[in-house]
Amino acid sequence: MEIPKDLRDRINRETRIVVITGAGISAESGVPTFRGKDGLWRRFRAEELATPYAFKRDPKLVWEWYDWRRGIIARAEPNPGHLAIAEMEMVFPNFHLITQNVDGLHRRAGNQKVIEIHGNLWMLRCTREGTVRENYEVPLKEIPPRCQCGALLRPHVVWFGESLNPEDLKRSLALLERCEVLLVVGTSAVVQPVASFPWMAKEKGAFLIEVNPEPTPLSPLVDLSLRGKAGEVLPELLQELKGALD
Ligand code: OAD
């Protein structure tokens, strides 16, 4: 791989780099994506599992689904794509990551400057008190799990029909406004508002890179389209970015 000159010219130790990831980054770790051939939304109905209404109607069903996913993720390991993104954070002091993934694999790979904009399924929230706690029990002892106060706990994730955490959104928008290079990895780029983030960054002059084996609605907008698997493309891209520092 060789990166274009206009990207190379932007790269230095201070370059403000933002990475946005979606389910595709975890695909090579064995975590199913949502859309596409083997996607979760082919087998399950989002409205029965990932909405506040679904949880109200059948918390046990919703929790069984999350418990199943937690089991898959607990057995998964960060892959070379996650590790390359973790190393980017070490190399570039002005690096930030915004992930739509709730699997926590970026943190396990070593990223610390990460906004988990759709939440994290290892965090549980009390439906009465709003308090959030970590829980790594696999499988869960009690389904649906309950808080000490007796109320139901729910996954601390953002469901369809819910708003993002305003603080996360504000921080993300501020990063996009100022970023010089935006790398978008493994997302179908159809779920709002994250799907709009690259458009905002582009308008502010950022150089856009997309890593995805398939074309997406974002593809016509990007400056560099790297068609391939994140676990293969990202380590090579990282080497190129590091090479541009010399
Ligand atoms: P999707 O499942 O919609 O898209 C996954 C993307 O990853 C697709 O564009 C694939 O082509 C790509 N892909 C597959 N394997 C890949 C690989 N090895 N390397 C790189 N890319 C690969 O997942 P998201 O875009 O993350 O929301 O979905 C967005 C949101 O929709 C999720 O956060 C979730 C879902 O409903 C909530 O839960 C709120």
Side-chain angles (χ1 to χ4, degrees), residues 115 117 164-174 176 193 197:
I115 299 175
I117 200 149
L164 301 186
N165 174 316
E167 201 48 46
D168 287 346
L169 184 59
K170 199 169 133 196
R171 281 174 59 213
S172 300
L173 295 178
L176 293 161
F197 288 0

Side-chain angles (χ1 to χ4, degrees), residues 15-238:
T15 306
R16 292 186 292 274
I17 300 182
V18 173
V19 177
I20 295 176
T21 61
I25 182 89
S26 297
E28 289 156 84
S29 296
V31 181
T33 61
F34 293 95
R35 295 167 189 83
K37 194 165 53 70
D38 302 317
L40 292 173
W41 297 150
R42 284 277 172 102
R43 288 189 280 159
F44 303 100
R45 289 166 62 87
E47 56 271 34
E48 284 172 11
L49 297 166
T51 66
Y53 173 72
F55 188 70
K56 206 167 174 184
R57 197 184 51 189
D58 196 343
K60 185 165 177 285
L61 177 74
V62 171
W63 263 117
E64 277 165 357
W65 190 65
Y66 276 91
D67 194 45
W68 170 72
R69 285 176 63 204
R70 283 162 55 108
I72 294 174
I73 293 162
R75 288 189 296 276
E77 292 294 333
N79 66 56
H82 293 108
L83 297 177
I85 293 177
E87 194 178 334
M88 272 180 213
E89 180 171 324
M90 315 263 285
V91 174
F92 295 98
N94 292 319
F95 165 99
H96 288 274
L97 170 62
I98 301 168
T99 186
Q100 299 169 88
N101 299 345
V102 296
D103 57 27
L105 286 175
H106 283 299
R107 287 191 195 277
R108 275 175 58 193
N111 281 108
Q112 294 184 0
K113 287 153 89 175
V114 36
I115 299 175
E116 291 174 316
I117 200 149
H118 288 167
N120 184 312
L121 51 57
W122 301 110
M123 309 287 266
L124 274 49
R125 188 164 85 232
C126 175
T127 51
R128 183 185 297 152
E129 300 167 334
T131 47
V132 175
R133 80 254 4 233
E134 287 183 354
N135 174 308
Y136 294 98
E137 206 174 274
V138 174
L140 284 163
K141 282 195 207 77
E142 183 192 17
I143 291 186
R146 287 185 181 273
C147 182
Q148 296 90 316
C149 78
L152 285 177
L153 290 166
R154 59 163 281 178
H156 187 47
V157 300
V158 179
W159 281 327
F160 289 104
E162 294 185 315
S163 313
L164 301 186
N165 174 316
E167 201 48 46
D168 287 346
L169 184 59
K170 199 169 133 196
R171 281 174 59 213
S172 300
L173 295 178
L175 290 170
L176 293 161
E177 181 123 327
R178 297 183 64 240
C179 84
E180 295 164 281
V181 174
L182 176 67
L183 173 60
V184 185
V185 184
T187 175
S188 56
V190 293
V191 174
Q192 297 293 353
V194 179
S196 303
F197 288 0
W199 300 79
M200 295 174 194
K202 178 79 179 176
E203 201 167 288
K204 297 287 178 182
F207 188 99
L208 262 53
I209 309 169
E210 181 179 55
V211 176
N212 199 311
E214 306 286 337
T216 73
L218 182 65
S219 305
L221 182 78
V222 302
D223 301 289
L224 177 61
S225 178
L226 299 170
R227 283 261 189 283
K229 294 182 173 182
E232 293 165 11
V233 172
L234 288 176
E236 281 187 45
L237 177 63
L238 173 65

